């Protein structure tokens, strides 16, 4: 079964997950040594070939109340909303084919891991409604951004996403989350959203100002719609870059693998109020209508 998430940024209709950004403040994307890639940046667009996996969820029938599962995500940066430099435009490797586009290429990548559970689940005819939460387990709900001059991220194998320099590590707050999903199992069409915050909440969390100058607080937003079947990326591994914080994972026939198209924008200088908390949709949104598969595709 192939699954695709289409970008829906509020008002502008683009699926994404976002770091919310203040209109008065933006951040500067840098190379760690003073070189500037983009100024007045308000959003980063992650590649549409990004992929996610819900571990141990082969079908909608598994979405019973209390069901526990882990979700993994990986993608590489494809664009910035801001004033980009020639260095950025000429050398960003915006593909994830495992090889740099030139000797001066660089990449930014993002990975995440979440510990989820089904809070509610009900059906009415062919319509299924479910909501999800995060387990409050230290170290279980993390998002990280990496900078790498090897530019070797590879969607198919899951390698190269977490082997660069980690420039940000954040914890998703399980106490501030709202995740819902509705789908018609007969057609495979669904829509969902998740609202969460991610911030410096645990020991070891940080944002490196040498790479993300001016970025001080982060929230996530993710809306999605679901159409089955769709998608075309083969992914058989996740987080295979060697970082112990995000252990290597090989996809099994009992997993649900899907394609994720994401974007995020940023808000600096304040902790967001619940009404403005952003969405991080990931694994909660693509779990319905899929059949058990021998060769998962993202």
């Amino acid at each position: 079964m192939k699954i695709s998430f289409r970008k829906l940024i509020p008002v502008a209709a683009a699926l994404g997950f976002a770091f919310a950004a203040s209109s008065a403040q933006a951040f500067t994307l840098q190379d760690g040594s003073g070189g500037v890639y983009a100024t007045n940046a308000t959003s980063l667009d992650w590649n549409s070939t990004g992929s996610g996996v819900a571990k141990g969820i082969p079908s909608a029938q598994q979405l019973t109340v209390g069901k526990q599962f882990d979700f993994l995500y990986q993608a590489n940066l494809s664009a910035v909303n801001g004033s980009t430099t020639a260095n950025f435009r000429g050398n960003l490797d915006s593909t994830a084919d495992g090889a740099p586009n030139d000797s001066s290429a660089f990449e930014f990548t993002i990975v995440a891991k979440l510990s989820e559970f089904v809070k509610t689940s009900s059906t009415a005819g062919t319509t299924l409604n479910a909501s999800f939460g995060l387990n409050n387990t230290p170290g279980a709900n993390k998002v990280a951004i990496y900078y790498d001059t090897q530019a070797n991220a590879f969607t198919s194998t899951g390698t190269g996403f977490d082997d660069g320099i980690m420039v940000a590590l954040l914890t998703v707050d399980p106490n501030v989350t709202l995740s819902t999903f509705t789908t018609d199992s007969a057609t495979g069409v669904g829509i969902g959203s998740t609202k969460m915050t991610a911030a410096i909440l645990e020991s070891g969390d940080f944002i490196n100002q040498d790479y993300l100058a001016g970025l001080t607080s982060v929230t996530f937003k993710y809306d999605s719609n679901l159409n089955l079947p769709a998608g075309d990326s083969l992914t058989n591994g996740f987080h295979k870059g060697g970082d112990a914080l995000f252990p290597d994972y090989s996809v099994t026939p009992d997993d649900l693998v899907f394609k994720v198209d994401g974007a995020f924008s940023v808000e600096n200088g304040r902790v967001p109020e619940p009404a403005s908390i952003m969405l991080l949709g990931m694994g909660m949104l693509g779990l319905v209508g899929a059949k058990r598969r021998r060769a998962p595709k993202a």
Side-chain angles (χ1 to χ4, degrees), residues 111 143-147 162-170 204 206 208 211 243 245-246:
V111 301
V143 178
I145 300 174
Y146 296 82
Y147 173 77
D162 59 333
D163 65 336
I165 300 170
M166 185 186 292
V167 301
L169 178 65
L170 302 166
F206 71 98
N208 190 329
Y211 296 87
D243 193 323
L245 184 61
F246 296 91

Side-chain angles (χ1 to χ4, degrees), residues 54-292:
K55 297 164 64 174
I57 303 291
S59 69
Q61 286 68 37
Q62 296 292 319
L63 294 178
T64 55
V65 174
K67 176 67 176 180
Q68 308 277 332
F69 62 95
D70 292 330
F71 174 79
L72 307 177
Y73 170 72
Q74 59 196 15
N76 66 309
L77 183 67
S78 61
V80 173
N81 182 8
S83 300
T84 57
T85 64
N87 188 15
F88 178 86
R89 295 188 295 272
N91 295 307
L92 174 70
D93 190 345
S94 59
T95 61
D97 58 2
N101 49 17
D102 59 56
S103 60
S104 300
F106 70 92
E107 66 186 1
F108 283 91
T109 56
I110 188 167
V111 301
K113 61 180 182 181
L114 299 174
S115 175
E116 304 181 21
F117 67 93
V118 181
K119 294 175 66 175
T120 64
S121 180
S122 63
T123 57
T126 59
T127 300
L128 183 144
N129 296 280
S131 66
F132 306 87
L134 295 181
N135 293 304
N136 193 0
T137 305
N141 303 299
K142 292 289 188 180
V143 178
I145 300 174
Y146 296 82
Y147 173 77
D148 196 355
T149 56
Q150 294 187 61
N152 58 350
F154 195 12
T155 297
S156 295
T157 60
T159 54
F161 290 97
D162 59 333
D163 65 336
I165 300 170
M166 185 186 292
V167 301
L169 178 65
L170 302 166
T171 298
V172 180
D173 188 349
N175 298 309
V176 189
T177 177
L178 174 62
S179 177
T180 60
F181 184 76
T182 300
T183 189
D184 186 335
S185 59
T187 64
V189 175
I191 187 169
S193 68
T194 302
K195 298 181 180 181
M196 298 179 181
T197 65
I200 298 174
L201 300 176
E202 298 179 346
S203 176
D205 291 350
F206 71 98
I207 299 174
N208 190 329
Q209 298 296 305
D210 290 338
Y211 296 87
L212 302 166
L215 182 61
T216 59
S217 63
V218 180
T219 59
F220 284 103
K221 181 172 184 178
Y222 188 93
D223 292 330
S224 74
N225 61 0
L226 174 65
N227 294 279
L228 302 174
D232 57 5
S233 295
L234 292 169
T235 302
N236 56 41
F238 284 80
H239 303 174
K240 293 199 170 185
D243 193 323
L245 184 61
F246 296 91
D248 293 2
Y249 184 73
S250 297
V251 173
T252 77
D254 287 329
D255 297 331
L256 184 62
V257 181
F258 50 92
K259 188 176 179 181
V260 179
D261 186 2
F264 72 61
S265 46
V266 304
E267 183 165 289
N268 298 314
R270 68 181 179 86
V271 177
E273 298 175 0
S276 66
I277 291 169
M278 308 182 70
L279 312 172
L280 174 62
M282 304 211 184
M284 305 103 164
L285 306 180
L287 308 179
V288 179
K291 297 179 181 178
R292 185 180 180 124

